[in-house]
Amino acid sequence: MTESVLPSMTETLLVRLIVLGLISAGGLVIGWQGYRGFRRNDNQTLLWLSVGILLLTTVPIGGAGLLRITDVVTQQSVNLIVLVLINSGLIVILYAFTRG
């Protein structure tokens, strides 16, 4: 008779998948552009920046999705792996900015 105010679980999951896909695709595009800049200018900073962006965006999303699908590890382990990957990306980006 009355519809629920909260969206159903499938709609929420679909929205999450779309947002994560957009973030991952954006990270791939930016990482690829950084790699192209490295190849064109032979600048190591752009290579490290590209790797850091990929570690910050695309790798954690894909890795977490793969680990959740296969049920190899627990949810807490997946969260820890994602946090390690994100922090690794930040460290690589910091290295790219400070190396000299």
Side-chain angles (χ1 to χ4, degrees):
M1 305 215 172
T2 61
E3 293 188 27
S4 175
V5 177
L6 298 174
S8 68
M9 189 60 161
T10 56
E11 291 173 357
T12 304
L13 181 62
L14 180 63
V15 169
R16 287 182 65 191
L17 286 175
I18 290 171
V19 169
L20 289 175
L22 289 173
I23 292 170
S24 184
L28 276 173
V29 168
I30 294 170
W32 176 252
Q33 291 297 323
Y35 179 73
R36 286 182 56 206
F38 158 71
R39 297 271 310 231
R40 182 177 35 242
N41 301 319
D42 196 28
N43 187 349
Q44 288 286 338
T45 302
L46 289 174
L47 176 64
W48 288 113
L49 184 62
S50 175
V51 169
I53 289 172
L54 289 174
L55 281 173
L56 193 61
T57 57
T58 305
V59 174
I61 292 171
L66 186 64
L67 289 173
R68 287 182 184 144
I69 289 172
T70 57
D71 278 339
V72 175
V73 294
T74 63
Q75 182 62 41
Q76 290 83 9
S77 299
V78 171
N79 291 342
L80 179 65
I81 292 168
V82 167
L83 286 175
V84 167
L85 288 170
I86 289 172
N87 284 317
S88 298
L90 290 173
I91 290 169
V92 171
I93 291 172
L94 179 64
Y95 176 73
F97 287 151
T98 58
R99 75 184 296 264

